[in-house]
Amino acid sequence: MKILVAVKRVVDYNVKVRVKADGSGVDLANVKMAMNPFCEIAVEEAVRLKEKGIASEIVAVSVGPAAAQEQLRTALALGADRAILIESDEELGSLAVAKLLKAVVDKEQSQLVILGKQAIDSDNNQTGQMLGALTGYAQGTFASKVEIAGDQINVTREIDGGLQTVALKLPAIVTTDLRLNEPRYASLPNIMKAKKKPLETLTPDALGVSTASTVKTLKVEAPATRSAGIIVKSVAELVEKLKNEAKVI
Ligand code: AMP
């Protein structure tokens, strides 16, 4: 079984992002970029399926600027066999990304597509679902466990206050939740080997996909700064402040 893994280049989760002064977006100048954490979990799951002898090939795919090759090389170092970069310098919406991924699914005829549940930059949580609609494949979102038996895949989903297990008939789409697995680190020899693995570059035009957007970001704002806390001397003072100042009791 061939697995396609979608990998997005995002601002590293350790970076404290700064909103641009004009509110048009986030300042990306000299900011450390990394693979989206949920995509790392997606790569790890694909690698585990290959180690179990269930997957025969793992193809990592990213849509983004030429620099996204770095994240694809990381996926290759973690165990993907080859990579595809769909190069675009535009800021693409989820639907455009899903259409591009659909074109790759058609080209590669992969049986399973694993995506993160969410990209930590735009927090969209919709690319996997849109790809599900475009391909007509079964989908299991927010996966915390994945088991494959023949042409069926059982996905345990994290839902509010519990778990739900669904059976999907392959081909299918899975989006990863945090508890699915703990991604490994790439070893130095594997980082070196990854440099020689194939990385193909395509363009939206070559795939015949229009990336015109129907959504425009109007404004980006940083969260309101929190005022400093105070230390109260007694429970009575706390109750008095909650009642008369915060007015929450
Ligand atoms: P989102 O719907 O934007 O929150 O992203 C959910 C998942 O879709 C990500 O974790 C990736 O697996 C995939 N994805 C989103 N954007 C891209 C992209 N530009 N390139 C590759 N995969 C992407």
Side-chain angles (χ1 to χ4, degrees):
M1 175 170 64
K2 190 194 282 188
I3 304 182
L4 220 66
V5 185
V7 166
K8 187 174 186 192
R9 174 183 171 86
V10 297
V11 173
D12 186 281
Y13 74 95
N14 292 302
V15 171
K16 195 170 180 324
V17 290
R18 288 183 314 269
V19 172
K20 285 185 193 163
D22 63 1
S24 62
V26 164
D27 192 0
L28 294 179
N30 302 318
V31 167
K32 183 171 181 247
M33 304 296 281
M35 188 191 297
N36 182 47
F38 292 106
C39 302
E40 284 182 3
I41 296 172
V43 173
E44 176 65 33
E45 197 60 22
V47 174
R48 290 185 189 192
L49 289 171
K50 193 168 175 208
E51 286 169 346
K52 283 185 199 154
I54 294 169
S56 52
E57 190 183 24
I58 302 169
V59 184
V61 188
S62 193
V63 180
Q69 286 184 35
E70 287 169 25
Q71 282 62 49
L72 288 173
R73 288 282 170 212
T74 304
L76 293 169
L78 291 169
D81 297 291
R82 59 190 173 89
I84 301 173
L85 171 67
I86 305 168
E87 198 172 333
S88 170
D89 288 324
E90 287 172 57
E91 203 179 309
L92 299 178
S94 300
L95 185 56
V97 173
K99 285 180 183 169
L100 291 164
L101 293 175
K102 154 89 165 63
V104 178
V105 170
D106 289 347
K107 190 167 171 282
E108 295 286 340
Q109 292 294 303
S110 45
Q111 285 293 291
L112 179 61
V113 188
I114 312 183
L115 305 91
K117 75 163 179 183
Q118 191 171 345
I120 61 162
D121 52 0
S122 53
D123 275 348
N124 284 343
N125 174 14
Q126 55 191 14
T127 309
Q129 294 88 327
M130 287 177 167
L131 183 61
L134 293 172
T135 53
Y137 286 6
Q139 60 169 327
T141 50
F142 311 111
S144 63
K145 193 170 170 195
V146 168
E147 285 173 318
I148 299 185
D151 67 347
Q152 183 173 306
I153 167 165
N154 291 345
V155 177
T156 303
R157 308 182 57 235
E158 301 222 0
I159 55 173
D160 275 351
L163 298 170
Q164 178 198 44
T165 303
V166 291
L168 315 175
K169 210 166 160 0
L170 291 167
I173 289 166
V174 168
T175 73
T176 62
D177 215 319
L178 206 58
R179 277 170 281 267
L180 179 59
N181 61 48
E182 212 169 294
R184 69 195 68 190
Y185 292 99
S187 66
L188 193 57
N190 285 345
I191 293 172
M192 300 312 287
K193 273 188 218 151
K195 293 186 182 181
K196 296 207 177 95
K197 289 188 179 176
L199 193 159
E200 182 186 0
T201 301
L202 299 170
T203 60
D205 278 353
L207 290 167
V209 175
S210 158
T211 54
S213 177
T214 48
V215 179
K216 188 174 164 212
T217 302
L218 297 179
K219 198 160 110 187
V220 175
E221 286 171 87
T225 45
R226 291 169 64 181
S227 51
I230 55 160
I231 295 174
V232 290
K233 291 197 184 68
S234 65
V235 173
E237 189 188 350
L238 174 66
V239 171
E240 190 275 321
K241 286 194 183 301
L242 289 173
K243 214 179 214 168
N244 302 320
E245 283 181 27
K247 297 193 191 326
V248 289
I249 56 171

